[in-house]
Amino acid sequence: MKRVYNFNAGPCTLPLPVLEQVKEEFLDYQGKGMSIVEMSHRSKEYEDIQFGAASMISQLYDLPDNYKVLFLGGGATMQFSMIPLNLLPEGRSCDFTVTGSWSKKALADTRKVGKVNVVFDGEKDNYMALPDPASLKLDPQAAYLHITSNETIGGVEWPNFPESGKVPIICDMSSDFASRRLSLERFGMIYAGAQKNAGPAGVTIVILRDDLLERCPETLMAYLSYKIHAAKDSMYNTPPVFAVYMLKLVMEWLLKKGGLAAAEKMAAERSGLVYGAIEKNSAFYRCPVAENCRSKMNVVFRLPTEELENKFVAEAAAGSMIGLKGHRSVGGCRASIYNAMPIAGVKALADLMNDFAAKSG
Ligand code: PMP
């Protein structure tokens, strides 16, 4: 078997030792004579997995006791509705930063529920730049401030976050969760679809400060209520057991590697190699994103023509480097280089970029 270097944005490459462990214990989990996907979610084995996964996330982020880790379904997209339904009380408004495709989607759903005050909209820069956090005119009465820490499609990532006083920041960390050192105490809530740095698709991580649970309306349908999920330790209904099991293994893998500090170091190294190849061949490649907010997870770049971009992507695929085509909404190229991407994969990509520029430039 030859594994490819997978630069897809999510689902994406996962740590090989985790995949091997999953394969190894699939048919007979811990000598129980059945696989994890056949077991009751009320079994001791599964409870250990789910509580273990939550406690590893707490360990990774050194979370204080007043933060709750939930595992929910519906993807990060479901959070676009659950957040305002739970946390935006009638008569109040929330502040929103619009920095690309994902925050636009979150904004559209929030507007269906309540009032939104857009404090930043990156449209004039084609969503390729972020504001100085200190320049934002935040409403001190806002129910919350919503931020997308990393725009997976546009490739912009907030290097640091605004000071919002008593207003909780709610952050979509889908594509940079577990990639850098960060105190989550700066946030009222963060959420992330697992399928980038945390595991397979099917589970969404929600971490929220418990005082926010008091806002959840009693009239809300059960599945939509954070309060119900928190009271039932994310077991109100059947959780996505296989996704949670794999997430636990991925978190275990990351902790063994050195946790967030190690992830941050690896991300700097990987992204440095790709941005370095762009800089080195700057007459050929161009990164459209402002330098101070270039994503360390999703590196976007353009070649002189679309034809050359297609050729580059095809040549990469022939060399076992797949998933380098930019998102269909923006075109160009994108290398998603999450925690599980081996450095060798990024080196191979940088070499190809150098060679391709030399022969086509
Ligand atoms: N937010 C961001 C930043 C994302 O990258 C994605 C998915 N790529 C989503 C939200 C939506 O996540 P899901 O597909 O899990 O609903």
Side-chain angles (χ1 to χ4, degrees):
M1 179 196 65
K2 180 173 179 357
R3 277 177 61 81
V4 294
Y5 291 125
N6 176 359
F7 292 93
N8 275 304
C12 57
T13 194
L14 289 172
L16 187 56
V18 167
L19 298 175
E20 279 165 347
Q21 185 174 346
V22 171
K23 182 180 168 200
E24 182 60 32
E25 59 193 16
F26 188 70
L27 287 183
D28 184 10
Y29 185 76
Q30 292 190 348
K32 297 291 161 194
M34 59 180 153
S35 69
I36 194 69
V37 288
E38 296 167 294
M39 257 176 218
S40 165
H41 61 293
R42 307 284 175 200
S43 63
K44 163 98 175 56
E45 288 73 22
Y46 181 71
E47 276 193 0
D48 285 350
I49 287 172
Q50 190 162 308
F51 286 117
S55 104
M56 277 172 204
I57 290 175
S58 301
Q59 205 183 321
L60 192 67
Y61 277 101
D62 199 13
L63 280 181
D65 290 345
N66 60 331
Y67 280 75
K68 204 77 190 144
V69 179
L70 305 179
F71 298 119
L72 304 180
T77 302
M78 180 71 152
Q79 297 310 307
F80 298 166
S81 344
M82 282 178 75
I83 293 163
L85 286 170
N86 281 276
L87 306 176
L88 182 53
E90 234 182 288
R92 295 190 54 194
S93 70
C94 63
D95 281 352
F96 233 86
T97 51
V98 186
T99 51
S101 312
W102 291 109
S103 46
K104 274 198 227 172
K105 286 190 170 166
L107 170 71
D109 278 349
T110 308
R111 280 195 164 134
K112 290 178 184 164
V113 178
K115 275 211 302 233
V116 186
N117 171 36
V118 172
V119 295
F120 173 78
D121 188 328
E123 191 176 6
K124 71 171 182 357
D125 293 313
N126 208 16
Y127 299 103
M128 291 291 117
L130 292 177
D132 169 3
S135 71
L136 296 173
K137 302 247 175 316
L138 301 174
D139 173 4
Q141 303 300 325
Y144 56 82
L145 161 67
H146 187 278
I147 289 181
T148 305
S149 53
N150 184 68
E151 288 282 358
T152 322
I153 295 174
V156 300
E157 185 174 22
W158 289 79
N160 40 56
F161 297 92
E163 291 299 336
S164 58
K166 286 197 163 30
V167 176
I169 301 180
I170 297 185
C171 187
D172 177 356
M173 285 192 191
S174 291
S175 47
D176 65 352
F177 177 76
S179 72
R180 53 174 159 168
R181 285 172 298 169
L182 197 56
S183 167
L184 294 191
E185 285 173 77
R186 305 214 37 206
F187 302 87
M189 169 178 155
I190 70 108
Y191 61 104
Q195 67 273 20
K196 285 102 161 65
N197 273 331
V203 60
T204 303
I205 302 152
V206 169
I207 304 176
L208 86 176
R209 215 174 55 211
D210 56 12
D211 61 284
L212 291 174
L213 294 170
E214 284 156 31
R215 291 195 198 173
C216 306
E218 298 296 336
T219 48
L220 215 49
M221 284 72 98
Y223 195 84
L224 298 178
S225 168
Y226 292 131
K227 202 172 179 176
I228 288 188
H229 290 297
K232 300 288 181 189
D233 289 317
S234 310
M235 297 261 201
Y236 175 75
N237 72 325
T238 318
V241 294
F242 192 69
V244 174
Y245 155 71
M246 281 196 71
L247 179 144
K248 173 179 172 263
L249 297 183
V250 174
M251 293 296 105
E252 215 160 30
W253 170 83
L254 184 57
L255 283 168
K256 263 193 225 140
K257 277 192 115 46
L260 297 181
E264 181 173 306
K265 193 162 166 275
M266 292 187 296
E269 193 179 344
R270 285 189 207 95
S271 59
L273 282 165
V274 189
Y275 287 118
I278 296 170
E279 293 304 311
K280 191 169 157 202
N281 305 284
S282 59
F284 191 73
Y285 300 105
R286 186 175 61 85
C287 173
V289 180
E291 246 175 78
N292 65 353
C293 56
R294 290 184 174 170
S295 171
K296 292 193 168 64
M297 297 285 108
N298 312 97
V299 180
V300 299
F301 55 98
R302 303 297 313 229
L303 277 67
T305 65
E306 240 177 80
E307 196 187 338
L308 280 167
E309 284 168 351
N310 291 335
K311 212 169 148 211
F312 173 79
V313 169
E315 221 166 276
S320 295
M321 288 172 261
I322 64 126
L324 286 161
K325 207 169 168 48
H327 190 269
R328 59 192 180 282
S329 62
V330 294
C333 295
R334 170 178 57 173
S336 295
I337 43 177
Y338 299 116
N339 286 349
M341 169 59 68
I343 278 289
V346 187
K347 285 189 173 148
L349 173 62
D351 287 346
L352 174 75
M353 288 172 75
N354 290 331
D355 293 348
F356 194 84
K359 75 174 183 210
S360 320

